[in-house]
Amino acid sequence: MTHGDTSSRRGWYLLGPAFVAAIAYVDPGNVAANVSAGAKFGYLLVWVIVCANVMAALVQYLAAKLGLVTGLSLPEVVGIKTRRPTRIAYWLQAELVAVATDLAEVVGGAIALRLIFGLPLVLGGLITGVVSIGLLLIGDRNGPRTFERTATGLLAIIAIGFLASLVVEPPPVTHVAAGLLPRFDGAESVLLTTAILGATVMPHAVYLHSGLARDRHGQPAPGPARQRLLRVTRWDVGLAMLVAGAVNLAMLVVAAAHLAGFDGTDSIEGAHAAIGDALGPTIALLFAIGLLASGLASTSVGAHAGAMIMAGLLRVSVPMLARRLITLLPALAILATGIDPTRALVISQVVLSFGIPFALVPLVHLTGDRELMGDDANRPLTTVLGWTVTVVIAALNAVLIYLTVS
């Protein structure tokens, strides 16, 4: 029996690509948005976390399905279906989003290293970048399965770091349940809602997941084998989003339960200090370790996505080290200027907001194209849900841009 035959009989072995993409959903930008929301508004925005992860699950499944059915990543399909000027313009916006993504991840890693070891931000950012290069080289040398295992291991560390406080002192279940009722409390709660959504649905995770699914499983022929892979992919996405959603929810409810009334919780460093005062130094250390794992994992995933975007749209293969430096240097330059790191995270989320429609619109359109997808094209209900999610996320991110600028 071949390895492929064995793996086809063990669905659990086929899990993995979605867990790599899920790293993008627990990055430092999420930490800043979720902790601020919980500290300022308590459990009010629990419903936003739940809705954001449900929408993200649909988006990620469509991305994986596109890769499995067509044998192409989303950037490759866009590159094939557009002319060169459009392709270059599309790549430029995607590259800007990649740089903004890397800014958030490197800043998050730098903040974590300062919290744990007292390192200067620039040095911490450089270490974060160097370690991420090492993680990428491991994947290049040993294949996508090894990169998946490494990323999933870091995701486990992230989960432990941010879920530990719930074990030590669980929040009141009734308060969390009350937060499931959709509502707002003034303009600032709307701003934080859009920030949570902007930090949850990441353009680079959409591009990446389509390629990860293709690289892992190839392009199965129409029929039972493909249907089995699509079913396993739904489980993969569901489980990965469940982990990411639990981590994001933990950030918010811990802040709601323990950080209300503390000064400075609008920054990650201030939230870390408040957690230490409320729950003790061990929980604060675990929080910082979770943040560090988040920065290291998400910057590696972001660089991998950037390389896939460039290869798909420009049809150019750039060495991973050169590719890593392209997005790392702007992040280090911003840290060197002395800009408040939490403010830099907010700015990065605004830039990311520009890129979301460019990922979601072609994704929903292409996965609903029967000529491209055959019998696996989206059903009418899926198409309606996909366009609804796209419009809602794009509209809320437009609000985020407006409120941030104004």
Side-chain angles (χ1 to χ4, degrees):
M1 180 177 291
T2 66
H3 178 74
D5 293 333
T6 302
S7 65
S8 68
R9 297 179 62 184
R10 296 186 298 180
W12 61 266
Y13 182 83
L14 302 175
L15 303 178
F19 285 83
V20 178
I23 294 290
Y25 293 90
V26 289
D27 77 342
N30 291 80
V31 179
N34 295 331
V35 170
S36 293
K40 291 183 179 180
F41 294 100
Y43 303 94
L44 180 74
L45 300 182
V46 165
W47 66 274
V48 179
I49 299 286
V50 175
C51 289
N53 277 274
V54 170
M55 289 189 289
L58 173 62
V59 168
Q60 293 305 138
Y61 172 68
L62 294 181
K65 183 170 78 166
L66 179 70
L68 286 173
V69 173
T70 66
L72 300 168
S73 68
L74 178 58
E76 286 172 332
V77 179
V78 172
I80 291 170
K81 289 185 170 290
T82 55
R83 296 183 177 182
R84 181 174 174 80
T86 303
R87 194 164 63 243
I88 292 175
Y90 193 94
W91 169 75
L92 286 173
Q93 66 80 27
E95 194 66 38
L96 179 62
V97 168
V99 171
T101 300
D102 215 38
L103 170 62
E105 329 305 22
V106 172
V107 167
I111 292 174
L113 287 169
R114 182 159 77 175
L115 293 175
I116 299 172
F117 301 109
L119 299 180
L121 285 175
V122 176
L123 178 58
L126 183 61
I127 292 173
T128 301
V130 170
V131 173
S132 70
I133 291 172
L135 294 175
L136 290 168
L137 290 176
I138 289 173
D140 276 355
R141 180 170 299 177
N142 299 297
R145 185 63 176 152
T146 300
F147 184 71
E148 280 179 18
R149 289 169 176 162
T150 304
T152 303
L154 288 170
L155 179 61
I157 295 173
I158 295 168
I160 292 170
F162 291 120
L163 291 171
S165 54
L166 296 183
V167 177
V168 173
E169 194 167 339
V173 175
T174 54
H175 292 182
V176 178
L180 293 172
L181 178 65
R183 62 196 190 281
F184 297 104
D185 183 14
E188 190 172 3
S189 67
V190 177
L191 176 61
L192 281 170
T193 294
T194 55
I196 291 171
L197 283 170
T200 300
V201 180
M202 292 288 198
H204 72 284
V206 177
Y207 298 127
L208 178 66
H209 199 176
S210 60
L212 288 174
R214 182 271 318 274
D215 293 343
R216 180 76 140 76
H217 304 302
Q219 184 186 9
R226 178 185 290 179
Q227 293 308 309
R228 172 177 170 74
L229 273 177
L230 289 174
R231 285 196 300 271
V232 172
T233 296
R234 286 193 285 272
W235 276 100
D236 192 25
V237 171
L239 292 172
M241 290 299 103
L242 182 63
V243 173
V247 172
N248 283 317
L249 188 60
M251 297 176 196
L252 188 145
V253 300
V254 166
H258 304 292
L259 304 189
F262 281 91
D263 293 330
T265 52
D266 54 346
S267 71
I268 291 179
E269 291 163 305
H272 173 264
I275 288 172
D277 291 339
L279 297 174
T282 301
I283 298 300
L285 176 61
L286 289 173
F287 176 90
I289 291 173
L291 178 63
L292 178 59
S294 170
L296 294 175
S298 51
T299 192
S300 302
V301 168
H304 193 14
M308 188 173 291
I309 292 167
M310 181 176 285
L313 292 171
L314 299 187
R315 299 163 192 170
V316 173
S317 180
V318 177
M320 189 60 73
L321 180 59
R323 168 74 220 174
R324 189 70 193 86
L325 291 175
I326 290 172
T327 53
L328 178 61
L329 291 177
L332 293 177
I334 288 175
L335 286 175
T337 62
I339 294 176
D340 176 65
T342 301
R343 180 63 179 169
L345 283 175
V346 172
I347 293 172
S348 73
Q349 299 309 306
V350 174
V351 176
L352 283 170
S353 300
F354 284 104
I356 289 176
F358 291 98
L360 297 190
V361 170
L363 176 68
V364 177
H365 170 69
L366 291 169
T367 52
D369 184 347
R370 187 162 291 276
E371 183 180 347
L372 177 68
M373 302 289 290
D375 292 338
D376 293 305
N378 295 338
R379 295 178 180 178
L381 178 59
T382 304
T383 297
V384 170
L385 290 174
W387 284 121
T388 301
V389 168
T390 299
V391 170
V392 168
I393 292 176
L396 287 174
N397 277 281
V399 172
L400 173 62
I401 293 167
Y402 171 77
L403 292 176
T404 303
V405 171
S406 61

